[in-house]
Every structure is written in C-alpha cells, then in structure tokens.
Amino acid sequence: MNADERQHQIVALARRHGEVEVAKLAAELDVSAETIRRDLRLLEKHGLIRRTHGGAYPVETAKFETDLAMRTVRGVPEKRRIAAAAAGLIGDAETIFIDEGFTPQLIAEELPTDRPLTVLTASLNTAAWLAASTPATVLLLGGRVRGRTLATVDHWAAAMVSSFVIDLAFIGANGISREVGLTTPDPAVADVKARAVAAARRRVFVGIHTKFGVRTFCRFAEISDFESLVTDTALPVSEANRYARLGPQVIRV
C-alpha cells in the first residue's frame, strides 16, 4: 500500500467510524505511528480530517456528511450544555425556529412549557418530540425528507419558512469560520437555513467547538447575522474573542 492508498484508507475509516486513533491505524495499516501522524497532518492540510490528541475525526465536505446517528453519540454532554444555555436565551420570544440536527433537537427538550410557544422546524424528530411531550404548537416544514438527517428540504420547505416572521431562530451548521461564515454541504439544506435566518428577528448559532474553523460547500449566513454563538469551553478564549469581534456574543459552556 503506497502513501496515497493509505491516506485514502484513513479517510474512509474516519468517515465510517466517526474518528480514528493513531495507534490503531498504525497496527491496522502496518506502519509506524510517526507515518500515521505525517499522514494525518497532510490530510488535515487538505481539509479532510481534523487532528485530536492521539487521533483525528473527519471533516464534512460536499461529498461527505455525518448522519444523525453519528451525531447522537459524539460530544453529547457538551451538546446538552449548549442546548440548555441556548434555551436560556429565549427571552420573550413566542415563535421559534429550531433547525435540523441533534444539538437543535436537544434545545427542543429545554424549551419552557409554562407559556404558549409556536415552534417551526424541518426536523421530523424534533417535531414528533415536541408534539408528544409539550403544549407547544408545532409546525413541520413540508418537503423532501433527507434520510441522513430526517429533515425536510427543497422548495416546499424553503417557501414555507419564508412565509413566516419568526421571533428567534436556533441555527446549526456543519462548519463555521471567520473567513466564510456558516456553511453546510448540501445546497438544499443551505437554502432552508438561509431562509430561516432571513425570516427571524433574532438568531442564535449552536454548535460544539469542532464546528469552528471548518468550511464546507454551501455558505448560508454570515457571523454578523447572529446575536449569539453558543458552544463549549473547548473553543479557546482567544478564538472566541476573534468571533466576538465580528458582532455576536460568544457563550462558552
């Protein structure tokens, strides 16, 4: 196996399992740990993986996106803290958009139940949970359901969300960077997100620290569109301050 084949295999394994470890890769591919580290540095330079202490995880691209099942097992404690902090920003909002994805889904579980809310969402899971477990009025966007995320997209969903004036939108992304803003791999998803951002009076981004510094295929919003970015404490304070200089409050929990 030459270097190109080995690196292709590393990316494939990272995408299949959600993360890889240097020691296990070295044993499986029968090379030294230093060779694997060199491969990971190169793959990170090409934007295919992000290195961690002792391993790496895949970066989402136009050709690769993690599914909902993978998102429900990685960084769950951090995502729950983010969701609770984000829900605390509701204020006097009565109409709320909750984006697709696992962290926004957790926000639904933190919404207050002692006052009437109308919640608009593209997520089948979020809509089902809210309708069964809360007194909120739930509006599910129509359209094609993406099997990867169990959320609706395409012109039906985009047109529907554009027809509302929303008090507060909780928005997720596959990547957020100071250079290009918020991005997602799928143009159909980007369209719905962009329409939700445009329809909302207030917008809050929610996402774990691994989203930061990542760029995927389709840009749908600018950093300055948001009043708050809610993430976990693994995002360095210095980096949080750089994002805050672009306009939003950065909340690390």
Side-chain angles (χ1 to χ4, degrees):
M1 183 181 296
N2 61 34
D4 287 343
E5 293 170 335
R6 185 176 63 248
Q7 290 157 16
H8 178 80
Q9 181 72 359
I10 290 171
V11 172
L13 289 168
R15 290 176 173 179
R16 186 181 310 143
H17 300 295
E19 59 186 347
V20 288
E21 297 178 10
V22 170
K24 290 183 179 179
L25 285 173
E28 184 170 344
L29 300 177
D30 195 25
V31 294
S32 69
E34 182 52 41
T35 296
I36 295 297
R37 293 189 188 97
R38 187 163 55 246
D39 288 337
L40 294 181
R41 286 193 294 269
L42 182 61
L43 291 170
E44 184 175 50
K45 182 179 179 180
H46 290 164
L48 296 172
I49 58 99
R50 292 283 292 271
R51 288 182 295 157
T52 61
H53 181 69
Y57 60 87
V59 169
E60 295 178 296
T61 68
K63 294 183 178 180
F64 169 73
E65 181 183 4
T66 56
D67 60 22
L68 193 59
M70 187 177 293
R71 297 176 195 182
T72 61
V73 297
R74 295 192 64 208
V76 175
E78 293 86 350
K79 291 174 181 178
R80 290 197 180 279
R81 294 199 306 270
I82 291 167
L89 301 175
I90 288 176
D92 60 0
E94 297 179 352
T95 55
I96 297 170
F97 175 82
I98 297 182
D99 204 357
E100 65 168 55
F102 183 60
T103 304
Q105 181 179 321
L106 294 176
I107 294 174
E109 299 178 13
E110 298 288 343
L111 293 180
T113 58
D114 59 350
R115 58 189 175 98
L117 293 174
T118 297
V119 181
L120 179 67
T121 185
S123 166
L124 273 66
N125 284 353
T126 296
W129 190 90
L130 284 168
S133 306
T134 76
T137 298
V138 183
L139 302 178
L140 176 64
L141 298 181
R144 174 175 60 90
V145 178
R146 298 178 74 230
R148 185 168 291 278
T149 59
L150 295 181
T152 53
V153 292
D154 291 339
H155 66 274
W156 300 281
M160 186 174 176
V161 74
S162 293
S163 68
F164 294 100
V165 178
I166 302 164
D167 291 332
L168 174 61
F170 291 110
I171 304 291
N174 299 77
I176 176 172
S177 75
R178 290 181 284 113
E179 295 78 14
V180 302
L182 282 72
T183 56
T184 193
D186 191 316
V189 175
D191 188 28
V192 174
K193 290 177 182 287
R195 303 288 187 103
V197 168
R201 303 178 192 272
R202 301 169 52 210
R203 306 136 193 136
V204 173
F205 166 78
V206 291
I208 60 174
H209 70 281
T210 57
K211 304 283 189 178
F212 286 76
V214 174
R215 311 178 189 188
T216 59
F217 184 52
C218 301
R219 176 168 52 188
F220 66 86
E222 302 291 343
I223 302 295
S224 58
D225 292 331
F226 292 81
E227 69 172 42
S228 301
L229 312 178
V230 187
T231 188
D232 60 273
T233 53
L235 182 72
V237 173
S238 58
E239 189 66 6
N241 289 339
R242 294 186 183 100
Y243 280 88
R245 285 195 286 270
L246 298 176
Q249 173 190 24
V250 179
I251 301 171
R252 300 162 64 252
V253 293

